[in-house]
Structures are given as C-alpha cells and as structure tokens.
Amino acid sequence: MKIVKTIAEVRQQVKEWKSQGLTVGLVPTMGYLHEGHASLIDASHRDNDRTVVSDFVNPMQFGPTEDLESYPRDLEHDAKLVEAHGGDLIFNPEPSEMYHEGFSSFVDMTVLTQELCGLSRPVHFRGVCTVVSKLFNIVQPDRAYFGKKDAQQLAVIRHMVDDLNMDLEIIGCPIVRESDGLAKSSRNTYLNEAERKAALILSKSIRLGQDMVKKGEKDCSKIIEAMKSLITSEPLARIDYVKIVDCATMQQIPALDRPALCAIAVFIGKTRLIDNFFTEDV
Ligand code: AMP
C-alpha cells in the first residue's frame, strides 16, 4: 500500500495498472477513517482489481464558520485501516496540489443542492462536486463508492455523473452504525460523554420514523412531527431539519406515494450530525 501526495504520482500508478488491464475503484474521503469508510473500501476491493482511497479535507466544501481547521486528521491511522481492508493507494494531497493559485473553475449544480444540507451549507455541494470531479479526472476510476449516510451527496454525485457524461459507475453503500445505533462519523469525535449519549436521539428518531412507515403511515407531516417531538425531548439537541423528500428531486413531499428519503440534521452541542433512511429500505 502506497501513500502519494501528487496528482502526477496517482496518474503514473493508475496508468501502469490500466496498461495491465486492471480495473480501478475510487473511495473519496476526508480521512480520519472509521468502519463506515472501511465498508466502502471493502466494496471497492470486492469489485475492482485495485482501490484508490483519497484522503483530503477539502477546504472548498466548508463554509466560513464551519470546522475546517478542527476537522480531525490522522494519516498514520488511516494508512493502517486502508491496508487492512485491501486498499492499494492513498492519495493525500495538500490543498495547494488540488487548488493551484488562480484556480477558478467550479462544478455548480442548480438542482438537488438547494434543499436539505444545501440550505444550511450554501457552498457545500459546489465544493463537493468540484473536488469529486477533479478526483474522477485524476484517478479515472471504473467505479466510485459513496455512503448512503450522505444521501443527498450520493444523489448529487449520481446526477453530476449523468449530466456531465462521466464514464464510471457510482456505487452507494449502506450506513454503518455504532453498536448502539449512532451512525459512524469522523465528527463523532467532537462529542463529549454527555453529548455522545444525547447523540443517540438521531438514530432513535430514525427508528421511530422507520417504524411508522413499516406500520403503513403515509402522511409525511405525521412522521416528521413525531420524529421532531422525540428529538426535542433531548435537551442537548437542536434540530436543523427533519424532512421527507422525493428521492429523485430532493423536494419535500406531503405523502409517501413514491420512493422517498427521510433525512435529518441535528446539532448536539456545537456538532452538526446527520442521519437518514430510505423508505424503500424499510
Ligand atoms: P467523509 O470522510 O465523511 O467525507 O466520508 C467519505 C465517504 O464515506 C462518504 O461517501 C460518506 O458517505 C461515507 N461514510 C461516512 N460515514 C459513513 C457511515 N457511517 N456509513 C457508510 N458510509 C459512510
């Protein structure tokens, strides 16, 4: 397993693999890897001859008041995890390698990005689409792996690939959770003991929503109200949003009459956490 810092080194390695007829999977990450990331690496290792993991805290997807500086980083730990899960190459560039002076081309999507996380994080998806396009151009993977944990991101990437005729397959992977239900996230490390307990309210409300759907509830406002009232019962929690949207458009819907995504974002103290479920998976 190799760690490289430059675009030229990635290109050289991928060129060599492709000349041998090998397929390449890409797992884009911001590092501080956990079992959620590991599940994507496992999936890529299963489907492809070689797996590249990008490990890059992308400044462009953080707003001015967000946690870019404090975002956790640990390349040594990441390297062990990638190796243990069959990854072949880590691409860990400096921001200056990805964004040279005068950088001024962006991938800006006008649909899907104005709802959910896009409302609270206005520059986020422009940063995500731009960096993911760059990674696709650099690595030229046959397949790329994204977690359903970031369900809106997955929908945005699929749409971008379709719009811009990018020649690769996008694979969505299930949410990996802690044993008590909390969705794994690099940001969970921000939580103190009391906040970690309080954070369980996210997965509890997701389970409540899933149960209501399972029992046949079709009225989105009833599901949302029940979930909101449970979350509000936790004093350390502050709701950013609880919404049910059409999977294809990310627009809110009144009734469960089509494939839908129920997505939540909740602040626990200062830490913003997300979780979701797809009604079709219930
Ligand atoms: P991040 O490093 O947070 O940008 O995440 C990199 C990739 O890992 C994204 O595609 C995420 O959706 C995915 N991911 C993060 N946490 C999880 C999780 N708990 N389960 C599954 N995938 C995840």
Side-chain angles (χ1 to χ4, degrees):
M1 208 278 301
K2 268 206 292 200
I3 302 176
V4 299
K5 296 239 160 226
T6 66
I7 293 165
E9 287 168 292
V10 178
R11 288 215 158 118
Q12 179 55 38
Q13 179 61 85
V14 172
K15 208 168 160 185
E16 216 176 290
W17 287 336
K18 294 221 161 163
S19 73
Q20 297 163 22
L22 302 175
T23 56
V24 177
L26 170 67
V27 180
T29 83
M30 296 209 299
Y32 213 71
L33 304 181
H34 50 65
E35 286 88 340
H37 301 110
S39 73
L40 309 189
I41 301 169
D42 288 339
S44 174
H45 184 52
R46 191 188 55 222
D47 298 346
N48 303 281
D49 299 313
R50 295 289 182 271
T51 291
V52 178
V53 178
S54 60
D55 188 319
F56 176 58
V57 182
N58 174 35
M60 199 189 283
Q61 70 190 67
F62 287 76
T65 60
E66 294 180 355
D67 55 343
L68 174 62
E69 294 310 320
S70 56
Y71 197 86
R73 294 159 168 90
D74 188 347
L75 185 58
E76 215 174 293
H77 157 87
D78 292 352
K80 283 188 193 137
L81 184 141
V82 170
E83 182 144 43
H85 288 268
D88 299 281
L89 185 73
I90 294 182
F91 176 41
N92 175 235
E94 291 300 321
S96 57
E97 176 72 4
M98 291 298 275
Y99 303 111
H100 56 70
E101 222 184 294
F103 182 91
S104 50
S105 304
F106 304 91
V107 179
D108 221 343
M109 191 176 294
T110 54
V111 293
L112 305 184
T113 59
Q114 321 294 328
E115 258 295 336
L116 306 176
C117 288
L119 278 178
S120 349
R121 308 185 71 192
V123 299
H124 179 66
F125 286 112
R126 171 170 144 134
V128 169
C129 286
T130 302
V131 80
V132 170
S133 306
K134 284 171 67 69
L135 290 168
F136 288 174
N137 284 334
I138 293 164
V139 179
Q140 311 238 326
D142 298 282
R143 299 179 190 85
Y145 296 78
F146 294 86
K148 289 185 181 175
K149 156 104 189 315
D150 298 270
Q152 186 178 15
Q153 169 174 280
L154 176 58
V156 165
I157 300 292
R158 283 193 195 285
H159 199 85
M160 176 184 81
V161 163
D162 188 41
D163 275 356
L164 299 181
N165 311 103
M166 294 172 163
D167 190 15
L168 80 165
E169 196 183 342
I170 301 298
I171 316 282
C173 301
I175 299 178
V176 177
R177 298 178 178 279
E178 302 286 353
S179 54
D180 61 5
L182 178 66
K184 297 221 180 221
S185 164
S186 308
R187 289 192 167 97
N188 291 348
T189 52
Y190 295 149
L191 304 170
N192 65 29
E193 209 179 316
E195 290 170 338
R196 174 64 182 78
K197 276 190 196 141
L200 275 184
I201 206 66
L202 279 95
S203 51
K204 279 186 186 155
S205 78
I206 290 294
R207 273 202 301 275
L208 172 64
Q210 286 171 323
D211 282 347
M212 291 179 77
V213 172
K214 225 182 266 175
K215 286 184 185 137
E217 182 59 67
K218 299 274 179 215
D219 183 339
C220 294
S221 63
K222 281 196 183 144
I223 300 168
I224 291 168
E225 278 324 305
M227 291 173 70
K228 277 187 171 172
S229 116
L230 179 61
I231 298 168
T232 316
S233 72
E234 168 50 61
L236 293 180
R238 181 168 59 82
I239 294 173
D240 180 359
Y241 65 75
V242 176
K243 284 183 181 169
I244 298 180
V245 298
D246 180 318
C247 280
T249 64
M250 296 287 130
Q251 295 296 314
Q252 282 182 261
I253 50 172
L256 291 182
D257 53 4
R258 67 198 96 174
L261 166 71
C262 174
I264 67 176
V266 177
F267 284 93
I268 301 293
K270 284 188 178 147
T271 306
R272 184 175 175 280
L273 299 175
I274 57 173
D275 204 339
N276 69 70
F277 69 94
F278 286 89
T279 53
E280 291 214 314
D281 292 341
V282 168

